[in-house]
Amino acid sequence: MTDSKKICVILASPSRRGSTSTLAEEAANAVEGADVRIHFLNGLKFRDCSGCHLCKQGKPCPLKDDLVPVLDDLRDCDALIVATPVYFGRATGLYYMYEDRTFKLYTEQKEPPARKALVIVSAGAPVEHAQPTAERIQKILTRRNFKTSYLLHSTKQHGLPKDNPEMLEKAREAGRNLFS
């Protein structure tokens, strides 16, 4: 049995090596000894919630796809990192498909354990354009008993993370704060 902390990372960017993913991975990997589970949503085959409401009746979700192990990790993680770029003033469609499917966790865990989460939102516009998206995700996670902070990134203001050591260090510090 291990006592390492399990971090579930949700990458809702279509780019595996883009700004958003880079910052999320820096944050997660900054936690020494953590069991990091990275879920790149664009690489998964999954469907949006079908609205069948079986989960509200205490029945299992009928959707058996690549998102099932992601939801298992989310249910059992000690900390969560959610990362999405901003497209047209909001999170990606991938993020919303994932978020809809987390509804089943509300019905399974009436009182989920208190945990911490980090929301990373990256935008090509000024950083203020990322904030409403981060705040919206933060509200959703608060309902799941996550104490949430967020890190905003703007390629317009900060450049690419790989070229900005200060931004990378901010991401690492935010990751380390998940367990402080």
Side-chain angles (χ1 to χ4, degrees), residues 115-127:
R115 298 172 283 180
K116 285 190 177 180
L118 171 63
V119 177
I120 298 174
V121 178
S122 186
V127 75

Side-chain angles (χ1 to χ4, degrees), residues 107-118:
T107 62
E108 291 177 353
Q109 292 178 307
K110 298 295 182 193
E111 295 183 37
R115 298 172 283 180
K116 285 190 177 180
L118 171 63

Side-chain angles (χ1 to χ4, degrees), residues 81-179:
I81 297 174
V82 176
T84 183
V86 171
Y87 290 168
F88 298 101
R90 64 181 190 88
T92 63
L94 283 167
Y95 171 77
Y96 287 110
M97 284 179 60
Y98 150 81
E99 182 182 86
D100 285 350
R101 290 281 295 279
T102 67
F103 182 78
K104 119 186 188 48
L105 300 177
Y106 287 87
T107 62
E108 291 177 353
Q109 292 178 307
K110 298 295 182 193
E111 295 183 37
R115 298 172 283 180
K116 285 190 177 180
L118 171 63
V119 177
I120 298 174
V121 178
S122 186
V127 75
E128 307 82 58
H129 292 259
Q131 190 162 348
T133 298
E135 290 172 350
R136 185 200 170 280
I137 295 170
Q138 186 176 40
K139 284 180 188 175
I140 296 296
L141 292 174
T142 299
R143 293 182 195 148
R144 294 281 313 136
N145 209 15
F146 282 99
K147 182 178 179 195
T148 308
S149 60
Y150 57 81
L151 174 68
L152 304 177
H153 170 261
S154 163
T155 55
K156 188 172 196 161
Q157 290 168 273
H158 306 123
L160 296 175
K162 67 181 181 65
D163 299 328
N164 185 334
E166 185 179 306
M167 195 73 219
L168 292 174
E169 184 51 37
K170 282 183 182 179
R172 289 185 207 108
E173 184 64 27
R176 288 187 290 268
N177 286 337
L178 286 169
F179 294 106

Side-chain angles (χ1 to χ4, degrees), residues 33-103:
D35 175 10
V36 178
R37 309 282 177 95
I38 297 176
H39 300 287
F40 178 56
L41 298 182
N42 201 39
L44 303 178
K45 292 183 192 295
F46 69 100
R47 293 181 40 208
D48 197 0
C49 175
S50 64
C52 68
H53 302 287
L54 289 175
C55 61
K56 286 184 177 180
Q57 302 166 26
K59 297 177 183 173
C61 178
L63 300 178
K64 306 296 181 215
D65 56 23
D66 291 352
L67 202 63
V68 172
V70 176
L71 296 174
D72 290 342
D73 278 349
L74 177 59
R75 181 187 309 103
D76 301 331
C77 71
D78 297 302
L80 172 66
I81 297 174
V82 176
T84 183
V86 171
Y87 290 168
F88 298 101
R90 64 181 190 88
T92 63
L94 283 167
Y95 171 77
Y96 287 110
M97 284 179 60
Y98 150 81
E99 182 182 86
D100 285 350
R101 290 281 295 279
T102 67
F103 182 78

